[in-house]
């Protein structure tokens, strides 16, 4: 019996693969893998090792079953021979001995083989892998589900199309199973997002009827679907679904309780409808004069801006042809001695505020160096709390970032010098180069780069004043989505590898330009890499003099 030696050879081969991957990919796990696609790429290494481990497990398990099958055939053959004439067979002392042997030492060997747990060591391998390879957490699963819902809403994606692996008419992946749709719906349920729960539980229900090998049952789906339908205000349909669930599982404890509750709610609704007016009259309109005002934040945009933001992301909001006709493309030197021999290609994107695109200002080689330097330092991108001045993570900014200093590499210094040539502003008070990689559905909702009057703690520790301007380098093409949009002026900048966008955040008077409020649209397909340089006021006094003529609104 060579079962253990077979397993040993398989384990040695797997260990060699694991060591190689450990050398290449290992660094500490910080979670939140869904916030950067660059880190999610390492999950492919994890899956590769797990597949190899599972293959070896199956191989050893098959070896075990092969040996048992050989024993079965041997025993069946001998037993059939004896059954022809039991007396004659047993009268042969050799046969009598062999029968006795089969039922003692031979059978004990079979019992040992049957009881040998070939999976224990392979399960231990998986446990050990968690110390050296990246594994997604429950937070990553939930974050990935939220990202899909964000993409579905922003780009008006049909649920059935997404389940087929089709995004905006392009087939990107294999179809989702009923179990996949169920899990996506369950994650949205855990977030209290009952609207999307209903969408995905219905899709799971539709797919259940088409599948043979099901991992999810109709009862599982009905439980979530009924309650989510109730939470959306449709009590009657929730009751019908609950009754259907009880037909499948009569003793379903939660369904029994929900059924009684729904019936009471329907009775209450009937009584309220019959006695709506104080005098018993019907059809008295419901009082809607009292409204609850929700707490507002400068980082939460109103419904009008949200609609326009999503339209720009989808490419549906357009500017007037008369405005576009005023825009120009040209070569510029910006009074830079270097640019006189190597002028930049400038494309105007908007005139007031002045937003331009510089083409071919970062090479592929420079991009790879910057990405290589940034990857080991990636942390979840943060925003500044305008009350405390502290940095904190936020769900409206899904990405990971790293900061690179000029002295770390000649490429970083070169990029900084290029920004100075492009803008005519000094980099002595600028922030370090920030490198960002967006995750699944990665986005950054509408925000200002500059600090407003009430944000007294913003940039206080830097001592360099407000952010006067922004330079945003696009370091990758994006298949779908990922645009930088300015809702109030209907401008959308599409990522193009090697280009850079530039705009002033402040008027020449020093007041913030509120028209520069912008957002990073969710990445639908592809990966989005950007880097940006935030330029501050200090040191720009003679490079961009203050204009005594107000160029900003009188009131904010």
């Amino acid at each position: 019996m060579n079962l253990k030696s077979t397993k040993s050879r398989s384990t040695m081969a797997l260990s060699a693969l694991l060591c190689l991957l450990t050398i290449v990919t290992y660094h500490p796990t910080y979670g939140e893998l869904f916030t950067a696609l660059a880190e999610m790429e390492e999950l492919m290494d994890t899956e590769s090792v797990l597949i190899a481990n599972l293959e070896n497990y199956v191989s050893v398990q098959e070896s075990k079953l092969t040996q048992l099958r050989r024993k079965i055939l041997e025993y069946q053959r001998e037993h059939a021979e004896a059954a022809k004439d039991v007396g004659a067979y047993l009268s042969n002392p050799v046969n009598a001995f062999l029968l006795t042997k089969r039922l003692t030492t031979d059978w004990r060997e079979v019992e040992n083989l049957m009881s040998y747990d070939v999976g224990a060591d392979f399960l231990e391998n998986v446990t050990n892998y968690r110390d050296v390879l990246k594994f997604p957490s429950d937070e990553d699963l939930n974050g990935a589900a939220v990202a899909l819902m964000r993409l579905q809403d922003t780009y008006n994606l049909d649920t059935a199309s997404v389940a087929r692996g089709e995004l905006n008419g392009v087939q990107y992946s294999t179809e989702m199973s009923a179990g996949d749709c169920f899990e996506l719906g369950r994650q949205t349920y855990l977030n209290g997002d009952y609207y999307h729960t209903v969408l995905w539980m219905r899709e799971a229900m539709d797919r259940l009827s088409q599948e043979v090998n099901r991992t999810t049952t109709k009862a599982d789906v009905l439980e979530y679907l009924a309650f989510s339908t109730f939470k959306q205000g449709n009590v009657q349909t929730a009751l019908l679904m609950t009754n259907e669930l009880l037909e499948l599982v009569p003793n379903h404890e939660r369904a029994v309780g929900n059924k009684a509750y729904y019936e009471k709610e329907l009775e209450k609704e009937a009584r309220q409808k019959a006695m709506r007016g104080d005098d018993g009259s019907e059809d008295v309109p419901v009082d809607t004069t009292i409204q609850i005002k929700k707490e507002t934040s400068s980082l939460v945009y109103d419904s009008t801006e949200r609609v326009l933001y999503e339209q720009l992301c989808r490419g549906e909001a357009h500017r007037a042809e008369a405005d576009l006709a005023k825009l120009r493309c040209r070569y510029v030197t910006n009074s830079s001695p270097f640019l006189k021999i190597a002028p930049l290609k400038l494309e105007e994107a908007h005139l007031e505020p002045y937003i331009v695109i510089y083409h071919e200002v970062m090479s592929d080689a420079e991009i790879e160096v910057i990405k290589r330097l940034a990857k080991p330092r990636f942390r979840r991108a943060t925003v500044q709390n305008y009350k405390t001045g502290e940095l904190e993570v936020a769900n409206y900014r899904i990405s990971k970032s790293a900061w690179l200093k000029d002295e770390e590499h000649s490429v970083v210094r070169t990029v900084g010098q290029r920004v100075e040539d492009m803008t005519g502003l000094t980099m002595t008070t600028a922030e370090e180069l920030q490198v960002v990689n967006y995750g699944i559905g990665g986005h950054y909702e509408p925000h200002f780069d500059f600090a407003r009057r009430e944000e007294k703690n913003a940039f206080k520790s830097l001592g360099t004043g407000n952010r006067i301007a922004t330079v945003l380098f696009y370091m990758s093409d994006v298949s779908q989505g990922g645009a930088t949009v300015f809702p109030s002026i209907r401008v959308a900048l599409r990522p193009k590898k090697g280009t850079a966008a530039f705009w002033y955040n402040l008027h020449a008077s020093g007041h913030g330009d509120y028209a520069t409020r912008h957002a990073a649209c969710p990445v639908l397909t592809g990966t989005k890499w950007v880097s940006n340089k935030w330029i501050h006021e200090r040191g720009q006094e003679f490079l961009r003099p203050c204009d005594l003529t107000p160029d900003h609104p009188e009131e904010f």
Side-chain angles (χ1 to χ4, degrees), residues 180-192:
D180 296 332
C181 296
F182 171 79
E183 182 58 31
L184 192 50
R186 193 180 74 86
Q187 291 296 324
T188 60
Y189 175 88
L190 294 175
N191 295 329

Side-chain angles (χ1 to χ4, degrees), residues 150-159 168 310 314 316:
R150 183 187 310 120
L151 293 171
Q152 185 174 6
D153 290 345
T154 303
Y155 296 104
N156 285 341
L157 303 177
D158 175 64
T159 304
N168 277 342
E310 293 183 348
R314 295 192 297 269
E316 296 174 356

Side-chain angles (χ1 to χ4, degrees), residues 176-189 197 200-205 207-208 215-225:
M176 298 171 68
S177 66
D180 296 332
C181 296
F182 171 79
E183 182 58 31
L184 192 50
R186 193 180 74 86
Q187 291 296 324
T188 60
Y189 175 88
T197 302
W200 284 95
M201 288 301 173
R202 284 176 176 167
E203 184 64 28
M205 188 71 78
R207 289 178 173 270
L208 275 177
T215 57
T216 303
T217 67
K218 187 177 182 180
D220 293 332
V221 177
L222 280 171
E223 180 179 359
Y224 286 91
L225 185 55

